[in-house]
Amino acid sequence: MNADVTVFDHPLITHKISLMRDENTSSKQFRELVEEIAMLMAYEVFRDLPLKTVKIRTPVAEADVKVLSCKDVAVVPILRAGLGMTSGILHLFPTAKVGHVGLYRDHETLQPHEYYCKLPEDIQNRQVIVVDPMLATGGSAVAAVNFLKARNCKDIKFMCLIAAPEGIRALSSAHPDVPLYCASLDERLNEHGYIVPGLGDAGDRIFGTK
Ligand code: PRP
Ligand code: URA
């Protein structure tokens, strides 16, 4: 089991997650919150990025300044709901490439089914962050990381908004090398595989499909 699980406790993130949970929150507000929280989380997730020193001239003097010296980033949203988090991360990494993994969860079996996978050609050389608001049984996250490892990706992180203990166990045991970040660790799954208390169906709430 991977011990590398971070549950964020920043009050701004916690507050925004609470707003998302409210069933009266509109799709517009919900989408904005997903984007904002993803940006706030990514800020922390990438706090250890390496820096290197370069020489520049300010208008006043020559100076040694520090700039990022990390591998390029690829953001990989799990469709559909992961799309909502992507723009938040792109605000921080405007040059990141974006790969898409399309998975939907069968309502009866809860098993993930692939319908799309398009990744940047150089994905194996990139630092990859897989994003999906919900980690429920963990089946979709495990399948997405399987695709990335099949493409030789070595440096993968997983970021979600709400996780169930079941999903954390599944992802951590299938991929113990993948650090996992979530904004809330909820109680459990219900008999339909929904996170309790959760926020309902993230894709439907982002895109207003129900
Ligand atoms: C939701 C969610 C995750 C998945 C989590 O997607 O966005 O991808 O379920 O469940 P799991 O951990 O049990 O696999 P869904 O399959 O509903 O598709 P959607 O994003 O198209 O709505
Ligand atoms: N997918 C969702 O969108 N919500 C859940 O609670 C579980 C899976």
Side-chain angles (χ1 to χ4, degrees):
M1 175 98 167
N2 181 11
D4 203 350
V5 175
T6 304
V7 183
F8 286 92
D9 60 359
H10 193 290
L12 272 176
I13 293 178
T14 306
H15 175 77
K16 287 174 189 290
I17 289 282
S18 302
L19 297 178
M20 287 181 70
R21 292 186 194 276
D22 190 330
E23 65 180 0
N24 294 315
T25 295
S26 67
S27 271
K28 174 180 182 291
Q29 292 170 307
F30 193 90
R31 261 197 307 274
E32 289 167 355
L33 288 163
V34 172
E35 182 179 342
E36 286 168 15
I37 297 167
M39 185 167 72
L40 292 171
M41 289 178 75
Y43 185 79
E44 268 306 305
V45 167
F46 288 106
R47 99 160 10 257
D48 295 331
L49 287 179
L51 296 167
K52 65 180 178 197
T53 304
V54 295
K55 274 196 189 314
I56 58 150
R57 270 203 75 80
T58 76
V60 178
E62 225 178 51
D64 287 339
V65 294
K66 292 183 192 303
V67 294
L68 289 174
S69 73
C70 54
K71 285 191 278 185
D72 290 330
V73 169
V75 186
V76 177
I78 300 179
L79 305 180
R80 289 175 298 171
L83 282 176
M85 298 171 73
T86 305
S87 48
I89 301 173
L90 290 178
H91 286 310
L92 297 183
F93 292 100
T95 58
K97 290 190 177 173
V98 181
H100 296 89
V101 174
L103 293 167
Y104 73 89
R105 199 170 73 141
D106 183 281
H107 285 291
E108 297 297 320
T109 66
L110 304 183
Q111 291 305 304
H113 292 274
E114 178 201 349
Y115 60 89
Y116 190 74
C117 185
K118 183 87 177 172
L119 300 170
E121 276 181 359
D122 61 349
I123 187 106
Q124 70 283 358
N125 301 324
R126 290 179 173 264
Q127 181 166 172
V128 179
I129 181 157
V130 181
V131 295
D132 191 325
M134 309 305 276
L135 180 68
T137 65
S140 305
V142 169
V145 175
N146 287 344
F147 286 132
L148 292 164
K149 288 192 173 173
R151 289 281 299 271
N152 285 325
C153 295
K154 304 265 183 294
D155 188 351
I156 306 171
K157 300 177 194 296
F158 180 84
M159 188 170 109
C160 64
L161 303 188
I162 300 199
E166 294 87 336
I168 290 189
R169 279 198 293 276
L171 184 58
S172 300
S173 52
H175 297 295
D177 55 315
V178 174
L180 196 164
Y181 303 88
C182 64
S184 175
L185 173 54
D186 276 16
E187 284 166 36
R188 62 184 170 88
L189 295 179
N190 70 13
E191 62 279 21
H192 306 294
Y194 276 82
I195 300 176
V196 180
L199 46 72
D201 188 304
D204 282 338
R205 294 197 64 187
I206 290 171
F207 297 108
T209 37
K210 261 197 190 142

